Amino acid sequence: MGKVAVGLAVIGAATVCAAAALLVRHRMRSSARWVRAMAIVADLDERCGTPLAKLRQVADAMTVEMHAGLASEGGSKLKMLISYVDNLPTGNEKGLFYALDLGGTNFRVLRVQLGGKDGGIVNQEFAEVSIPQDLMVGSSDTLFDYIAAELAKFVAQEGEDFQLPPGRQRELGFTFSFPVMQTSIDSGTLIKWTKGFNIEDVVGQDVVAELTRALERQGLDMRVSALVNDTVGTLAGGRYNNKDVVAAVILGTGTNAAYVERAHAIPKWHGLLPKSGEMVINMEWGNFRSSHLPLTEYDHSLDAESLNPGEQIFEKLISGMYLGEIVRKVLCRIAEEASLFGDTVPPKLKVPFILRTPHTSAMHHDTSPDLKVVADKLRDILEITNTSLKERKLVVQLCNIVATRGARLAAAGILGILKKLGRETLKNGEDQKTVIALDGGLYEHYTEYRKCLESTLTELIGEKVSESIVIEHSNDGSGIGAAFLAASHSQYPDVEESS
Ligand code: GLC
């Protein structure tokens, strides 16, 4: 072999060795990265753990806080707001009523023609409009003028199927899904905003007066006859369909529950005892917090960066506004510390709230063998391409951990209410049904979440008792419920026929 040939052979061998060494190092590095990624996931899984014993502690804490909130104003993180709804719909309500439902990503307007005893809902129509982001943090007048204008447009389209007796004013049930300190069925002041709304000049103001002024500015002659939270509206709508409904839970952008309480068991109620002896309580359970809640560093960071730090902690663990953001935060950490998705963190992954719960839900439900939906979402939303199946599986695992924790905690919250009502066990000889009306986009569209909530509740109360507890989907019941309540609080006495 000549000198040149020997030299080339040596160089060739050296190149092969170097390449092999690089490959080994790369493999080592990538397996070390993967080990780090899996360690972060395992740690999250452990910290988000919700064994039954913990859920029982959460449920007990919920019951204790319910008592404290009923005892005195400010006695608990749970506001336990008095709704002034002491009579739920009977089915005898009659006439044309409107409802306006404000409180999430969209707002709805609807009209319903009620037929009175045995007449049911004769006719109904609705329109849904999304709320522009800038209105959620603008001024009071801009928000209320916008919704009043949409309502005016809708009223203008009223057809002949809807009949308002001559000389009567139109009446409206206003579903306003935020914490309101009510002073009567048709007045109340906003305590604080939640769910990304932040319009300072409304806090402390009477929201019915705000809306009424905006309706006047639109030249719309309409009286707000009932102001209700969405949970209270859902409870009313649910009761109309099923007399065994005693509580309602919303799982949507935010989360909350309302239930029927015995009026004499509300020490802070200083009014006359209602004839029915009952009062619907808006719990505002989104603000529940307890040392038993499995909070992680991601939750603390989400809370600190939110518009309402230190508040709505339960809501931030379980509701639709936040699940996607928690997953994004974990993914971001894995990308930073374990170079998942490459040496640099994909820029889109750093954008708060870019990953929404409908996206994580779609990824969680991906049953395709190569997790195509996950690949598509990562590409379309986060601009992350060329992901391996292993990486996509990791993403699904994260969605599962975060959704499971939320759903199981929601089930624990429901157990807390059942305990307060004394309905978590079977009483001898009683054949009692307990129906809970559930609504909200999260519950409706996130199947794994819904299944997990329902199976967890059965685990908590046992198969036997669970036969007496029914969770009923009350589809958009909050708007209809508000219309019913407008009817039962109408200024015209003949609206509610005697049964
Ligand atoms: C938030 C609001 C509450 C509402 C819930 C569901 O928690 O504070 O009033 O019922 O979201 O929409």
Side-chain angles (χ1 to χ4, degrees), residues 435-494:
V435 181
I436 301 170
L438 257 97
D439 201 10
L442 181 62
Y443 178 76
E444 195 179 346
H445 303 300
Y446 202 144
T447 313
E448 285 299 324
Y449 187 104
R450 180 176 65 233
K451 286 200 301 203
C452 177
L453 183 157
E454 288 169 357
S455 63
T456 307
L457 190 61
T458 306
E459 269 180 68
L460 283 167
I461 57 182
E463 292 278 346
K464 195 88 201 93
V465 181
S466 77
E467 283 168 19
S468 71
I469 314 274
V470 181
I471 289 190
E472 204 169 77
H473 180 206
S474 160
N475 206 353
D476 295 319
S478 63
I480 288 278
F484 274 120
L485 292 168
S488 48
H489 295 89
S490 163
Q491 57 188 320
Y492 304 109
D494 60 330

Side-chain angles (χ1 to χ4, degrees), residues 177-179 194-195 229-231 250 254-256 284 312 315:
S177 309
F178 299 95
T194 51
K195 300 178 286 195
N229 187 259
D230 52 352
T231 51
I250 298 287
T255 183
N256 189 11
E284 285 295 326
Q312 301 295 106
E315 180 157 278

Side-chain angles (χ1 to χ4, degrees), residues 14 24 42 88 118 121 167 183 256 282 301 323 337 371 411 417 419:
V24 170
L88 286 162
D118 302 326
I121 297 172
T183 36
N256 189 11
N282 164 17
S301 124
L323 298 183
E337 291 187 16
L371 296 178
I417 299 177
K419 286 190 157 196

Side-chain angles (χ1 to χ4, degrees), residues 145-163:
D145 280 343
Y146 180 78
I147 56 178
E150 291 296 332
L151 181 60
K153 257 195 253 166
F154 182 68
V155 171
Q157 292 153 7
E158 185 181 287
E160 280 169 11
D161 294 348
F162 295 88
Q163 298 289 329

Side-chain angles (χ1 to χ4, degrees), residues 162-485:
F162 295 88
Q163 298 289 329
L164 188 73
R168 288 204 175 177
Q169 195 182 18
R170 286 191 181 77
E171 292 183 280
L172 175 84
F174 182 21
T175 308
F176 184 71
S177 309
F178 299 95
V180 166
M181 180 64 74
Q182 297 213 202
T183 36
S184 69
I185 184 66
D186 59 3
S187 63
T189 54
L190 175 66
I191 300 172
K192 62 174 189 187
W193 289 105
T194 51
K195 300 178 286 195
F197 280 75
N198 192 14
I199 307 168
E200 268 171 36
D201 54 350
V202 189
V203 178
Q205 301 301 314
D206 187 320
V207 289
V208 172
E210 296 278 339
L211 177 61
T212 306
R213 278 196 294 271
L215 294 177
E216 281 165 11
R217 287 196 291 268
Q218 291 297 325
L220 193 58
D221 181 23
M222 191 178 254
R223 171 178 184 260
V224 182
S225 298
L227 169 67
V228 295
N229 187 259
D230 52 352
T231 51
V232 179
T234 302
L235 181 49
R239 176 65 73 90
Y240 173 77
N241 289 318
N242 186 333
K243 64 174 185 10
D244 292 325
V245 170
V246 291
V249 174
I250 298 287
L251 287 161
T253 308
T255 183
N256 189 11
Y259 74 106
V260 182
E261 183 56 276
R262 292 156 303 146
H264 66 79
I266 311 173
K268 71 179 180 187
W269 169 251
H270 301 302
L272 290 176
L273 275 189
K275 256 203 260 153
S276 65
E278 294 181 335
M279 178 62 78
V280 174
I281 298 292
N282 164 17
M283 292 174 61
E284 285 295 326
W285 87 358
N287 201 38
F288 171 70
R289 93 177 285 169
S290 147
S291 57
H292 300 300
L293 291 177
L295 290 167
T296 66
E297 60 188 276
Y298 310 102
D299 303 303
H300 291 300
S301 124
L302 180 150
D303 177 44
E305 289 164 15
S306 71
L307 283 174
N308 50 355
E311 288 173 16
Q312 301 295 106
I313 299 300
F314 197 50
E315 180 157 278
K316 287 171 182 162
L317 283 172
I318 71 180
S319 85
M321 177 157 172
Y322 304 101
L323 298 183
E325 174 65 0
I326 303 171
V327 172
R328 183 197 68 84
K329 280 188 172 288
V330 184
L331 271 177
C332 210
R333 164 109 190 267
I334 304 180
E336 275 162 9
E337 291 187 16
S339 305
L340 186 81
F341 311 131
D343 286 338
T344 53
V345 178
K348 289 272 172 179
L349 191 53
K350 294 188 189 157
V351 180
F353 289 95
I354 193 167
L355 194 64
R356 318 291 310 184
T357 305
H359 305 140
T360 55
S361 166
M363 297 198 281
H364 192 173
H365 291 102
D366 188 359
T367 50
S368 64
D370 57 346
L371 296 178
K372 182 165 179 331
V373 178
V374 179
D376 290 352
K377 293 280 174 226
L378 292 176
R379 188 198 56 224
D380 298 346
I381 297 152
L382 301 173
E383 291 174 2
I384 300 172
T385 49
N386 298 326
T387 48
S388 68
L389 183 58
K390 204 158 86 167
E391 288 167 336
R392 301 201 284 269
K393 281 188 175 158
L394 179 146
V395 173
V396 175
Q397 205 182 343
L398 293 184
C399 298
N400 183 35
I401 295 173
V402 172
T404 302
R405 176 183 65 166
R408 287 176 67 82
L409 288 172
I414 294 177
L415 175 61
I417 299 177
L418 291 174
K419 286 190 157 196
K420 177 73 186 65
L421 292 169
R423 289 174 181 240
E424 82 287 14
T425 52
L426 286 175
K427 309 270 175 308
N428 273 345
E430 268 185 42
D431 180 23
Q432 158 180 273
K433 272 258 175 290
T434 299
V435 181
I436 301 170
L438 257 97
D439 201 10
L442 181 62
Y443 178 76
E444 195 179 346
H445 303 300
Y446 202 144
T447 313
E448 285 299 324
Y449 187 104
R450 180 176 65 233
K451 286 200 301 203
C452 177
L453 183 157
E454 288 169 357
S455 63
T456 307
L457 190 61
T458 306
E459 269 180 68
L460 283 167
I461 57 182
E463 292 278 346
K464 195 88 201 93
V465 181
S466 77
E467 283 168 19
S468 71
I469 314 274
V470 181
I471 289 190
E472 204 169 77
H473 180 206
S474 160
N475 206 353
D476 295 319
S478 63
I480 288 278
F484 274 120
L485 292 168

